[in-house]
Amino acid sequence: MAWMTYISHWFEQDDWYEGLQRASMSQVRQVGLLAAGCQPWNKDVCAANGDRFAYCATLAIYIYQLDHRYNEFKLYAIMSEHKKTITAISWCPHNPDLFASGSTDNLVIIWNVAEQKVIAKLDNTKGVPASLSWCWNADDAVAFVSHRGPLFIWTISGPESGVTVHKEAHSFLSDICIFRWHTQKKGKVVFGHIDGSLSVFQPGNKNQKHVLRPESLEGTDEEDPITALEWDPLSTDYLLVANLHYGIRLVDSESLYCITTFNFPSVAASIQCLAWVPSAPGMFITGDSQVGVLRIWNVSRTTPIDNFKLKKTGFHCLHVLNSPPRKKFSIQSSNKNHYTSSTSEAVPPPSLTQNQAFSLPPGHAVCCFLDGGVGLYDMGAKKWDFLRDLGHVETIFDCKFKPDDPNLLATASFDGTIKVWDINTLTAMYTSPGNEGVIYSLSWAPGGLNCIAGATSQNGAFIWDVQKGKMIQRFNEHGKNGIFCIAWSHKDSKRIATCSGDGFCIIRTIDGKVLHKYKHPAPVFGCDWSQNNKYLCNGIVPSWLPIGLHLRDMIATGCEDKNVRVYYVATSSDQPLKVFSGHTAKVFHVKWSPLREGILCSGSDDGSVRIWDYTQDVCINILSGHTAPVRGLMWNTEIPYLLISGSWDYTIKVWDTREGTCLDTVYDHGADVYGLTCHPSRPFTMASCSRDSTVRLWSLTPLITPLQINILADRSWEEIIGNTDCVIEQGTPPLLCGKVSRDIKQEIEKLAGNPRVKKLRWFSECLSPPGGSDNLWNLVAVIKGQDDSLLPQSYCKGIMHLKHLIKFRTSEAQELTTVKMSKFGGGIGVPTKEERLKEAAEIHLRLGQIQRYCELMVELGEWDKALSIAPGVSVKYWKKLMQRRADQLIQEDKDDVIPYCIATGDVRKLVNFFMSRGQLKEALLVAQAACEGNMQNLHVSTPKGASYSDDIYKEDFDELLHKVSKELAEWYFQDGRAVLAACCHLAVDNIELAMAYLIRGNELELAVCVGMVLGESAAPATHYALELLARKCMMIPIWNLAADLLLMIPDNELHLVKLCAFYPGSIEEINDIHEKCKLPTVEECMQLAETAHADGNVFESIKYYLLSQEPEKALPIGIDFVKEHLSSSNWTLDTIYPILDLLSYIRTENLVLHTCTEARNELLILCGYIGALLAIRRQYQSIVPALYEYTSQLLKRRKVSVPLKIEHLSEELDAWRACTQPTNQSEESPYTPPSDSQRMVYTTLLKKLKEEPLKGIIGPDYVTGSNLPSHCDIHMSCLTGLKIQGPVFFLEDGKSAISLNDALMWAKVNPFSPLGTGLRLNPF
């Protein structure tokens, strides 16, 4: 296995635990990602191959991949290695994993998409690779060309590797816009030029340079650039060419003749891009450059067959994918049940009826627009399968949450726009008009003004009214100089400060009256209003503060002269009150602490962050660690010593400013990190923005785990909320000191009775990131019987409880009834066969042969006529005909099937249809409507007079409803949104599964909070979550809290024994924790162990030896017991696992003693094997092979005597693989059924496994953010050898990494590290 090459040295010897560090993972969790849009600067910036498509922003390439299970494209990877604008991308036609890109810094890169790594780089290309493409005639050659040529061909590997120049393709008279290799004719290539001409080269033929200019340009110097160029896939010589103004031509590259010129409906229309449709010969599509009109063409007609306006903004590029493979929908009924007429059974209609002579081709078009929008348009169904509207296409310099509506986040970009996003759905809500040049900074207006102030590179500053969508004020005091920072005073909404390259910090009123101009000796980059005014409380005025000075009237600036200045705005003086020196390069941003009076931080190009105390006039700390200039700065609004910084070194660092230590470093961004902002009502949620054009959302909650557990354990307020002065003392545990927590405390103290439920809910919402926790708590309230009138307005936008779903959707439908729908149609002459059939049908009708008429109408494809007459035969015949029509529409994957299924009451067919297409929310709605009795089931009499009762239908629908909600939950879960998955189960009152999904998503604190509120129905899962949380506490380590959590479980003795057994203190400390857990003292445990051992009570003797001074005495007793059982044939997992689980809690320092070497190795092997069996039982598919391999490697390399053989393990693993492989495998790996001996081995294995007691937790773990790609922090898993997607967990050697999902599953079934060191794994 791949992973063995990484870690085999761990298995060679036994004493590797010396000098190991603790296993670790990032404390800052990524919980959301706003992808960039597609850049509008260069031509070949989108590409597709198989079930992937790609587009590029300015500096990064985004790869989307089809998820076959849900039939949707998901972001798979972000690849960023280029430091300058990417000019072109190209997918290797022979290998879907190879991909090439070029950039303006004269660089060409070859990528392996599957592994997301660079496999070859060509630096210092001669000239910028303005256009690039894989050579169709060679597997490993990429061609690229600069604007005037020549064409270079880079052979990446093999004996002839290196760069050669095309013999003829050089010395062009006009710049090259684009070039294309012929896909069939070896070596044939065409170039399109700025002057509108083409150049064609073909081995063995005369070269044609600058030919086929549009007729209107002949003999002139005018330019009409080639915007698109594609070879006809069915011809060796035909070529489709688009010129920006002249339009589209089909030309013959051999005879240099224009075959067809295509005409546009309007003179104003111009073509930006075009693509052939592979699934429909002769068809192609084009995208207009001014407006987003998609036109469908056929080479046989000079005008478009159809036009769709998809967006207001023009197209930039287009690429057609063949339709992604759909899950084939199986129709239950067999033909023998269909009614067959005496004369004929209807045959399927001809593929193209008269109305569909030019029906839209099946296929998906990747559409990129000039505003950065990217979408996947299903041409057959005329709908977006995926639309990423309005992405930023360039560096995002700033981001800020809206103070009074923190679900909105504003971003300011190099692309000249400000965009406002809904962070729950990660969609763009508003965008500013644009054309502002570069926007460096933004600031929301205080209160509910709904305006944003923006600062630009050349156009001064402005105020944008978000709701009205227009600029309402401009400030030009800085002239054409760049304004680097803008700050709206949140204490006085009439004042706005700006600082600029002209050396001034200017404060003015919002109507433009200048109040102050603070002159600096060099450009000013940052400014910040002080946030506090507490020093004047109680009449106490500190000695350092001038009389009457209000701290809120201070503003700090950061200047290129390396100094920080503080000005007092309430006086007319333009001199600073203080100047702080110490940085060795320019100061960029400055930020006042929101919680500590007079404390200020500054970030500099010297790579450091300095903390200044205004009251003492000193620098109190220097935070060093960044390796490049510091840009983003953000204080946490609840923990006074927590500071976050972002840098040009691509990292975000979290600091404890008390000691100057870095608590965590985040590597996920792919370029400079510029902006950081804190969520106003969720103080541990943060957003960051970067030159990589993405915005990312982060949760900082893991940094304050002890505090979270204090809340769960119902500790006193003193252990949850503190005052700033105490908390900033070194070594003090984190306490909440901000406004959000104090408001919660005030509200709770007002409540009568038991406020525990409210306390859990409010703190849970405060500490959780957005993305479902509000929705979850609303559903918990509904289940607990809260009055509907108390539900917030936002409730109906999320996942609703079933009792509300139909009600809300009905009122929504009533609102929508005013919207009129338009229908498309087209036609062409009627074939004679159809005319004859029609005539025949009319005769049958006049003869009263209604059924024959219907069958002929069906044959003609005129189903509506057939169905309207069919009841004249019988209702039964009509229903059969309706079912046939529904089956046919399902095969064609048409939405038209919906009314047919509803009219015949065939709910199951319709639900399955929606599920097969991944439309799970639609399926849920239909299933719920059926449960509420809204679907009429036509009671057509069944054989022997039997008929279904309504109760049976109701039960049937209930089962269907649960099936759909489970599938929808799984969709959210697989998308890394465990909280919303839990919401789906709560919506159908399935509390057990809701809790299980929270646990499998490692949302343990949330699971415990919700479980405590829901009470008895959630108890088993709550207890399991408490047990896992206690394991987390043991690692931090906070032993008392771990004990408190375990004491909340009713039957807790064994859990407390494990905790105390693992506790590593002195005898006195161990006895203290024994007392807390109501266990005997260490000395008493020794006596009890010896008594139990003498009585032959294995379990009790192990338990008490582990709690005694000599816990290693438990090892031989337990291991011998397990070995003895394994040697017999009738052992089960449940007899062995409890013993091994208990033994695994032996203190690490005892387990790693030299005297315990053999026992330790045997324990690791047994835990590995039993872990593999548990993983099979819990369906942890991804780690089963690794656990078997781990056990085999230990058996091979360590001296042990256990009743396990490597051959037997290998046999079991093969049997498990064969019997659990999916039957619907791909062509590359066809399905081979298991052999009889494999079936036998697997059956024997299942008998030993028995059933999992907590059924809900079966299935893999998938934490929040598992689907979010990192830009540059790529790690390979030492368990699978594959790239890790989502959070990474580092093992104790500090190098070996596995995914957090695999680490969680491993730790739940085998407590010891995969490195075989004997250290416990604790990723919770």
Side-chain angles (χ1 to χ4, degrees):
M1 277 181 78
W3 69 294
M4 283 319 304
T5 56
Y6 292 86
I7 57 172
S8 57
H9 65 277
W10 288 109
F11 295 95
E12 297 292 352
Q13 58 196 84
D14 300 327
D15 301 325
W16 270 102
Y17 43 80
E18 293 296 334
L20 287 176
Q21 49 191 35
R22 236 182 69 189
S24 66
M25 59 186 161
S26 180
Q27 295 283 289
V28 178
R29 288 192 309 154
Q30 187 179 182
V31 292
L33 168 72
L34 270 169
C38 182
Q39 57 145 304
W41 339 114
N42 293 295
K43 272 269 155 243
D44 288 322
V45 289
C46 80
N49 190 333
D51 52 10
R52 295 190 186 123
F53 73 85
Y55 68 87
C56 54
T58 310
L59 295 168
I61 300 158
Y62 288 75
I63 310 273
Y64 283 77
Q65 181 158 325
L66 182 70
D67 176 341
H68 288 269
R69 177 171 179 183
Y70 297 109
N71 200 43
E72 64 178 346
F73 282 86
K74 288 183 176 172
L75 182 58
Y76 169 72
I78 303 174
M79 304 192 305
S80 63
E81 185 75 17
H82 292 284
K83 302 294 177 271
K84 295 262 180 84
T85 304
I86 297 169
T87 50
I89 58 176
S90 173
W91 222 300
C92 177
H94 320 289
N95 181 347
D97 283 345
L98 288 190
F99 188 87
S101 58
S103 59
T104 55
D105 49 0
N106 299 2
L107 177 66
V108 176
I109 295 179
I110 310 295
W111 304 84
N112 180 315
V113 176
E115 294 174 18
Q116 290 175 47
K117 67 179 185 191
V118 174
I119 53 173
K121 255 187 185 184
L122 182 64
D123 228 327
N124 298 324
T125 59
K126 295 178 180 68
V128 173
S131 192
L132 122 168
S133 168
W134 286 86
C135 303
W136 274 80
N137 54 321
D139 277 1
D140 58 351
V142 170
F144 57 90
V145 66
S146 63
H147 292 297
R148 278 288 165 108
L151 180 69
F152 293 101
I153 295 170
W154 173 28
T155 306
I156 297 145
S157 57
E160 296 178 11
S161 64
V163 179
T164 54
V165 178
H166 194 284
K167 290 187 183 69
E168 286 94 15
H170 52 77
S171 313
F172 294 108
L173 305 174
S174 171
D175 280 4
I176 295 161
C177 315
I178 192 169
F179 77 94
R180 291 287 182 262
W181 290 103
H182 201 292
T183 55
Q184 279 104 25
K185 226 170 187 181
K186 190 173 175 179
K188 187 170 185 175
V189 63
V190 61
F191 296 84
H193 299 280
I194 293 273
D195 67 359
S197 67
L198 301 176
S199 298
V200 184
F201 300 91
Q202 185 178 343
N205 280 34
K206 180 176 176 250
N207 299 320
Q208 307 288 350
K209 269 193 187 175
H210 300 292
V211 293
L212 287 167
R213 284 184 84 202
E215 294 162 18
S216 58
L217 298 182
E218 290 301 339
T220 70
D221 293 337
E222 283 178 42
E223 294 190 334
D224 186 5
I226 301 278
T227 55
L229 200 57
E230 299 294 344
W231 290 105
D232 184 340
L234 300 179
S235 149
T236 51
D237 303 315
Y238 288 4
L239 181 66
L240 209 50
V241 185
N243 292 70
L244 184 61
H245 305 300
Y246 188 78
I248 316 168
R249 297 169 290 156
L250 182 67
V251 300
D252 184 334
S253 63
E254 204 63 27
S255 61
L256 303 184
Y257 169 71
C258 176
I259 301 162
T260 314
T261 302
F262 296 91
N263 305 320
F264 281 87
S266 130
V267 185
S270 63
I271 287 298
Q272 184 64 29
C273 45
L274 59 82
W276 291 99
V277 180
S279 57
M283 279 198 151
F284 64 94
I285 56 173
T286 61
D288 283 19
S289 56
Q290 286 91 355
V291 183
V293 176
L294 181 74
R295 302 183 194 276
I296 317 274
W297 306 76
N298 190 289
V299 286
S300 63
R301 289 171 56 159
T302 57
T303 55
I305 295 163
D306 223 329
N307 310 291
F308 302 101
K309 185 175 174 183
L310 300 186
K311 245 170 97 75
K312 287 180 182 170
T313 40
F315 271 90
H316 177 57
C317 51
L318 262 180
H319 206 104
V320 174
L321 287 170
N322 277 326
S323 274
R326 292 201 175 275
K327 289 202 292 185
K328 278 284 163 264
F329 177 73
S330 58
I331 290 166
Q332 300 305 313
S333 55
S334 57
N335 283 340
K336 67 179 190 310
N337 294 337
H338 278 180
Y339 182 82
T340 309
S341 76
S342 53
T343 46
S344 86
E345 172 72 2
V347 295
S351 56
L352 292 179
T353 65
Q354 67 196 59
N355 293 337
Q356 303 169 308
F358 277 118
S359 70
L360 287 193
H364 286 69
V366 181
C367 306
C368 301
F369 297 93
L370 293 169
D371 64 358
V374 180
L376 192 67
Y377 189 72
D378 182 335
M379 295 184 289
K382 300 178 192 162
K383 66 179 176 36
W384 287 110
D385 265 7
F386 158 90
L387 180 61
R388 169 86 186 75
D389 213 0
L390 296 173
H392 281 299
V393 298
E394 255 287 9
T395 302
I396 303 173
F397 283 117
D398 200 6
C399 57
K400 296 276 180 356
F401 283 106
K402 191 171 195 282
D404 60 317
D405 181 0
N407 286 327
L408 297 182
L409 175 76
T411 52
S413 168
F414 189 99
D415 64 19
T417 63
I418 291 177
K419 298 188 193 302
V420 178
W421 308 86
D422 178 331
I423 57 161
N424 288 308
T425 57
L426 298 177
T427 51
M429 307 296 288
Y430 308 98
T431 182
S432 67
N435 299 325
E436 294 293 338
V438 178
I439 302 180
Y440 285 126
S441 174
L442 67 87
S443 184
W444 282 97
L449 288 176
N450 211 11
C451 290
I452 294 175
T456 74
S457 57
Q458 289 183 321
N459 297 340
F462 59 81
I463 297 178
W464 170 46
D465 184 317
V466 178
Q467 210 67 50
K468 292 179 183 163
K470 61 182 186 185
M471 302 298 173
I472 55 172
Q473 180 63 284
R474 289 193 179 274
F475 307 117
N476 299 308
E477 304 92 342
H478 296 286
K480 287 285 179 193
N481 293 291
I483 300 175
F484 299 108
C485 185
I486 190 160
W488 207 313
S489 167
H490 278 245
K491 292 285 193 290
D492 179 354
S493 60
K494 292 190 173 64
R495 296 187 296 183
I496 293 178
T498 52
C499 48
S500 160
D502 61 6
F504 282 101
C505 172
I506 295 179
I507 294 168
R508 90 271 293 141
T509 59
I510 51 174
D511 53 12
K513 180 187 170 193
V514 173
L515 302 175
H516 294 280
K517 284 183 88 167
Y518 296 126
K519 178 86 177 103
H520 293 65
V524 196
F525 294 106
C527 63
D528 191 39
W529 295 94
S530 63
Q531 304 194 26
N532 299 306
N533 186 24
K534 293 177 187 164
Y535 272 103
L536 302 182
C537 298
N538 310 326
I540 302 165
V541 182
S543 57
W544 53 269
L545 195 64
I547 299 298
L549 183 123
H550 283 221
L551 260 180
R552 73 172 178 191
D553 289 328
M554 309 228 286
I555 194 163
T557 62
C559 178
E560 195 174 78
D561 72 349
K562 310 172 191 169
N563 291 329
V564 174
R565 291 172 174 80
V566 179
Y567 294 89
Y568 181 43
V569 181
T571 67
S572 56
S573 166
D574 59 0
Q575 292 305 304
L577 281 174
K578 295 269 170 77
V579 179
F580 292 118
S581 304
H583 280 297
T584 56
K586 80 177 178 207
V587 178
F588 209 84
H589 279 311
V590 285
K591 281 278 183 287
W592 291 97
S593 164
L595 298 172
R596 296 169 65 192
E597 299 298 345
I599 299 294
L600 174 71
C601 71
S602 57
S604 161
D605 280 16
D606 64 15
S608 74
V609 177
R610 284 177 175 250
I611 314 294
W612 311 93
D613 186 340
Y614 182 95
T615 64
Q616 306 296 322
D617 211 0
V618 288
C619 172
I620 54 173
N621 225 325
I622 301 171
L623 311 177
S624 303
H626 283 298
T627 56
V630 177
R631 286 296 175 263
L633 285 175
M634 184 196 100
W635 289 98
N636 182 266
T637 55
E638 283 288 341
I639 308 287
Y641 56 77
L642 217 53
L643 177 73
I644 296 97
S645 60
S647 163
W648 279 10
D649 64 9
Y650 301 12
T651 69
I652 297 170
K653 286 187 182 288
V654 182
W655 304 92
D656 180 334
T657 56
R658 300 174 298 186
E659 295 139 33
T661 50
C662 178
L663 300 176
D664 202 6
T665 303
V666 178
Y667 298 94
D668 290 83
H669 274 296
D672 321 341
V673 180
Y674 279 102
L676 298 168
T677 180
C678 184
H679 193 288
S681 61
R682 297 176 187 267
F684 296 95
T685 296
M686 158 182 100
S688 63
C689 61
S690 160
R691 189 165 66 94
D692 66 16
S693 311
T694 65
V695 176
R696 291 169 189 260
L697 294 176
W698 310 92
S699 170
L700 304 176
T701 313
L703 291 161
I704 54 150
T705 296
L707 186 57
Q708 235 183 330
I709 292 171
N710 281 341
I711 295 165
L712 291 183
D714 211 16
R715 292 283 180 95
S716 68
W717 283 116
E718 288 70 43
E719 293 178 75
I720 299 167
I721 291 180
N723 72 39
T724 301
D725 295 340
C726 298
V727 175
I728 56 169
E729 294 297 321
Q730 287 195 14
T732 310
L735 293 173
L736 303 173
C737 303
K739 182 179 184 311
V740 176
S741 57
R742 289 187 182 282
D743 287 351
I744 290 175
K745 184 184 177 203
Q746 265 181 345
E747 288 302 311
I748 286 169
E749 285 171 344
K750 287 181 198 166
L751 296 172
N754 178 14
R756 179 120 168 84
V757 169
K758 284 277 190 263
K759 185 177 177 181
L760 285 170
R761 174 173 182 168
W762 289 341
F763 273 115
S764 165
E765 286 176 338
C766 155
L767 299 177
S768 303
S773 60
D774 289 357
N775 197 162
L776 187 75
W777 282 109
N778 287 332
L779 288 165
V780 169
V782 170
I783 288 170
K784 294 298 284 179
Q786 178 186 293
D787 192 290
D788 287 356
S789 62
L790 298 173
L791 288 166
Q793 269 186 314
S794 60
Y795 169 67
C796 60
K797 289 181 183 158
I799 295 165
M800 287 180 279
H801 193 272
L802 291 182
K803 68 179 189 182
H804 301 131
L805 186 64
I806 300 296
K807 189 170 80 181
F808 274 106
R809 288 287 179 264
T810 306
S811 62
E812 191 180 32
Q814 283 162 352
E815 283 171 41
L816 291 171
T817 44
T818 51
V819 180
K820 292 196 167 51
M821 305 299 284
S822 65
K823 216 169 181 188
F824 294 88
I828 201 163
V830 181
T832 51
K833 182 188 172 193
E834 289 194 6
E835 284 177 337
R836 287 204 310 276
L837 287 176
K838 264 193 172 163
E839 203 175 325
E842 292 298 327
I843 295 166
H844 280 297
L845 189 62
R846 284 162 178 69
L847 294 172
Q849 294 166 349
I850 301 175
Q851 188 170 333
R852 187 80 191 100
Y853 169 82
C854 291
E855 293 291 346
L856 285 171
M857 284 291 118
V858 165
E859 203 167 325
L860 285 163
E862 297 204 13
W863 281 90
D864 291 349
K865 283 186 180 173
L867 288 165
S868 61
I869 306 296
V873 181
S874 70
V875 172
K876 184 179 176 185
Y877 173 68
W878 169 79
K879 191 178 180 195
K880 290 288 182 198
L881 207 55
M882 288 284 274
Q883 284 171 342
R884 272 162 54 194
R885 177 61 172 150
D887 291 346
Q888 186 206 356
L889 287 168
I890 282 172
Q891 292 291 3
E892 292 174 16
D893 197 34
K894 293 266 176 63
D895 285 344
D896 303 354
V897 70
I898 300 164
Y900 294 93
C901 289
I902 288 171
T904 56
D906 201 340
V907 176
R908 190 173 291 277
K909 185 180 286 178
L910 186 54
V911 167
N912 287 342
F913 170 69
F914 278 135
M915 285 170 75
S916 73
R917 294 169 53 143
Q919 291 173 285
L920 303 176
K921 291 175 185 172
E922 302 276 349
L924 187 69
L925 195 58
V926 170
Q928 176 59 19
C931 283
E932 292 189 18
N934 293 352
M935 302 283 175
Q936 292 304 314
N937 201 59
L938 283 165
H939 294 288
V940 178
S941 59
T942 46
K944 297 180 188 162
S947 81
Y948 275 131
S949 74
D950 286 344
D951 286 351
I952 292 172
Y953 280 115
K954 177 87 175 84
E955 271 172 38
D956 223 18
F957 292 151
D958 278 347
E959 181 202 321
L960 197 59
L961 185 65
H962 280 265
K963 175 183 164 189
V964 178
S965 60
K966 194 170 183 179
E967 186 78 6
L968 184 60
E970 195 57 30
W971 177 75
Y972 278 119
F973 191 66
Q974 297 287 334
D975 202 33
R977 296 187 281 176
V979 179
L980 287 173
C983 290
C984 294
H985 289 303
L986 281 187
V988 292
D989 293 326
N990 194 333
I991 289 169
E992 183 189 7
L993 275 182
M995 292 292 290
Y997 272 68
L998 289 176
I999 292 168
R1000 285 172 55 203
N1002 206 36
E1003 299 286 345
L1004 300 177
E1005 290 86 353
L1006 192 54
V1008 171
C1009 284
V1010 167
M1012 284 176 175
V1013 173
L1014 289 171
E1016 199 49 46
S1017 51
T1022 309
H1023 300 157
Y1024 182 50
L1026 282 165
E1027 183 192 330
L1028 296 176
L1029 259 186
R1031 279 174 74 174
K1032 182 176 182 172
C1033 292
M1034 287 156 70
M1035 212 58 196
I1036 295 176
I1038 35 177
W1039 298 92
N1040 271 329
L1041 269 179
D1044 283 345
L1045 292 175
L1046 295 174
L1047 286 164
M1048 292 159 74
I1049 301 173
D1051 193 7
N1052 56 23
E1053 193 210 2
L1054 193 54
H1055 297 306
L1056 293 167
V1057 165
K1058 293 173 190 172
L1059 173 77
C1060 294
F1062 196 62
Y1063 182 67
S1066 65
I1067 296 283
E1068 195 181 345
E1069 289 169 327
I1070 292 173
N1071 276 332
D1072 285 346
I1073 200 154
H1074 277 220
E1075 190 183 340
K1076 179 179 175 109
C1077 297
K1078 302 185 176 61
L1079 292 170
T1081 65
V1082 172
E1083 298 76 14
E1084 289 165 350
C1085 287
M1086 191 68 187
Q1087 291 161 1
L1088 288 165
E1090 284 167 352
T1091 310
H1093 191 38
D1095 294 346
N1097 188 331
V1098 175
F1099 196 81
E1100 290 295 298
S1101 53
I1102 294 172
K1103 183 169 91 178
Y1104 288 118
Y1105 271 129
L1106 285 175
L1107 293 171
S1108 74
Q1109 303 100 308
E1110 298 178 61
E1112 57 276 14
K1113 284 190 170 174
L1115 287 171
I1117 301 169
I1119 289 169
D1120 288 346
F1121 172 87
V1122 173
K1123 288 192 326 196
E1124 191 185 320
H1125 271 74
L1126 284 177
S1127 303
S1128 71
S1129 59
N1130 59 350
W1131 62 272
T1132 66
L1133 193 57
D1134 294 335
T1135 51
I1136 290 175
Y1137 175 65
I1139 298 283
L1140 282 177
D1141 182 41
L1142 187 56
L1143 274 182
S1144 73
Y1145 280 91
I1146 182 170
R1147 273 176 218 110
T1148 304
E1149 68 263 31
N1150 292 83
L1151 183 63
V1152 299
L1153 287 171
H1154 200 64
T1155 51
C1156 292
T1157 300
E1158 190 175 344
R1160 175 176 70 249
N1161 288 335
E1162 291 186 349
L1163 178 64
L1164 295 184
I1165 287 167
L1166 294 170
C1167 283
Y1169 177 58
I1170 296 303
L1173 301 186
L1174 264 174
I1176 290 174
R1177 180 159 94 176
R1178 289 196 176 183
Q1179 293 173 21
Y1180 293 170
Q1181 256 72 348
S1182 63
I1183 63 164
V1184 170
L1187 281 157
Y1188 269 109
E1189 186 66 25
Y1190 161 90
T1191 311
S1192 301
Q1193 289 294 337
L1194 285 171
L1195 271 174
K1196 198 185 290 182
R1197 295 159 192 257
R1198 306 266 173 99
K1199 284 182 188 159
V1200 289
S1201 62
V1202 289
L1204 291 173
K1205 290 196 170 59
I1206 292 174
E1207 306 74 56
H1208 174 66
L1209 295 181
S1210 163
E1211 204 178 83
E1212 267 188 12
L1213 178 59
D1214 289 345
W1216 169 78
R1217 277 195 170 122
C1219 295
T1220 57
Q1221 62 179 325
T1223 47
N1224 55 345
Q1225 295 215 320
S1226 60
E1227 288 160 28
E1228 296 93 66
S1229 53
Y1231 172 74
T1232 45
S1235 66
D1236 290 346
S1237 64
Q1238 285 175 329
R1239 280 205 177 92
M1240 215 162 79
V1241 170
Y1242 188 59
T1243 310
T1244 313
L1245 194 64
L1246 290 180
K1247 279 182 191 152
K1248 291 185 168 72
L1249 296 186
K1250 299 282 194 281
E1251 274 200 350
E1252 176 63 44
L1254 257 179
K1255 287 196 180 60
I1257 59 165
I1258 290 174
D1261 285 2
Y1262 213 72
V1263 301
T1264 302
S1266 292
N1267 59 324
L1268 300 178
S1270 166
H1271 250 92
C1272 57
D1273 195 25
I1274 305 291
H1275 295 280
M1276 307 308 282
S1277 167
C1278 68
L1279 290 189
T1280 61
L1282 302 173
K1283 186 197 73 69
I1284 296 170
Q1285 185 94 324
V1288 175
F1289 185 82
F1290 289 98
L1291 299 175
E1292 61 269 29
D1293 63 345
K1295 297 192 292 273
S1296 306
I1298 59 179
S1299 76
L1300 179 55
N1301 294 326
D1302 284 350
L1304 286 164
M1305 291 186 282
W1306 184 288
K1308 285 175 184 174
V1309 296
N1310 175 11
F1312 294 111
S1313 159
L1315 298 184
T1317 56
L1319 296 188
R1320 279 183 72 91
L1321 189 70
N1322 198 334
F1324 303 103

